[in-house]
Amino acid sequence: MAFAGSAPPVDARTVATLRPGEDVDALFACTRKDRAISRSGQPYLTVELRDSSGSILGRAFREADVLSARFEQGELVHVRGRVERFREQLQLELRSIDSAAEQDVEPSRFLPSSQRDLDELEGFLEHLARELYDAGLRGLVARVLGDVALRAEIRRAPCSLPPSPGGARAGGGSRVAVHHAYLGGLLEHTVAVATLAIELCAVHPRLDRDLLLCAAIVHDLGKTREFTYDARIERSREGAMLGHLELGLRVIAEHAPPAFDGERRLALEHCVMLHHGPDAASGRRFASAEALALYRLNALDAQLKAALEHRRSA
């Protein structure tokens, strides 16, 4: 979140801690902005304001058009108002709302974030990387984890865009439901799939353990370039135009050791390219058991996570 400017207001309470009757002078991400007309024929403004703890609706019935001109949906906004209860729901009665896009603020304050300990997850990922013995595959993962900038993006990236305010799946009709749609989601998902890969190889020892484990660790690297982070998570230009499969292959190519080429690298790239299904290959088929295994393990973790999140929010 590239904000640079004066310090944020003193009021740093989260949405989850707001109570009726309180005055608010704080920063929020504006994730929705609507202009409507009341029964009396007067315009009013409705916004959805969000931070990492949740969201709250804000409404302005005075000078709605004047206030609306001061900010855009998707921006960080500086809000002054009062918390009220309306139809058993809390909302903010807005006195003022202005763009705060130049503020220097940590994105995790306003974007949904993993509840897991990311340091612990990184430790798990390093442990999984040490389970690789094939020189080429081990060298590739060592270069990936040794790239400080890339490592930071692996730690930050989600796996999906968060659902839109209306509840529709962001990004269109994917065959895999929205999952791990928060900061740190990629690291969480990667560790889960790689752990499942090791367990599966214990059950089916004929699988190429190093190939499947390495593919599990690198299969979603393209997501480190698929998103941008502002007042909300959005798809980057290259993410929208190329998708994370192509971007992932590019990351692998940039970090592959000089000697890592030929059939071994091709087998890894095939696994990565087909981890959402065989349609990504011209032959529309899995060329290896490891590619099929990665596809199933990726879907298993994604769909289970989505189901558990849906159950928790129901």
Side-chain angles (χ1 to χ4, degrees), residues 150-216:
L150 178 57
R151 181 81 170 254
E153 290 303 316
I154 293 172
R155 182 183 173 106
R156 176 167 73 160
C159 283
S160 310
L161 290 175
S164 63
R169 289 189 304 174
S174 170
R175 71 174 61 189
V176 177
V178 170
H179 68 99
H180 299 86
Y182 44 74
L183 300 183
L186 173 59
L187 180 58
E188 195 176 312
H189 174 61
T190 298
V191 168
V193 175
T195 301
L196 290 170
I198 287 181
E199 297 299 324
L200 184 64
C201 289
V203 177
H204 294 283
R206 293 173 61 189
L207 285 168
D208 185 328
R209 183 179 182 275
D210 275 7
L211 175 60
L212 180 56
L213 176 56
C214 181

Side-chain angles (χ1 to χ4, degrees), residues 52-117:
S52 61
S53 73
S55 63
I56 187 171
L57 288 181
R59 289 192 170 93
F61 294 95
R62 295 181 180 179
E63 299 184 318
D65 290 335
V66 173
L67 295 178
S68 179
R70 295 176 178 173
F71 69 100
E72 297 296 333
Q73 178 176 305
E75 286 188 329
L76 190 70
V77 291
H78 180 189
V79 171
R80 293 184 178 91
R82 187 175 180 84
V83 183
E84 303 288 356
R85 188 179 296 278
F86 179 71
R87 294 179 180 174
E88 302 306 314
Q89 297 291 327
L90 294 185
Q91 69 174 34
L92 273 176
E93 184 177 307
L94 302 176
R95 299 190 187 105
S96 69
I97 179 169
D98 299 277
S99 173
E102 298 304 314
Q103 294 277 10
D104 184 10
V105 181
E106 171 56 43
S108 60
R109 274 188 58 189
F110 303 97
L111 299 177
S113 302
S114 173
Q115 300 303 304
R116 300 282 301 276
D117 184 325

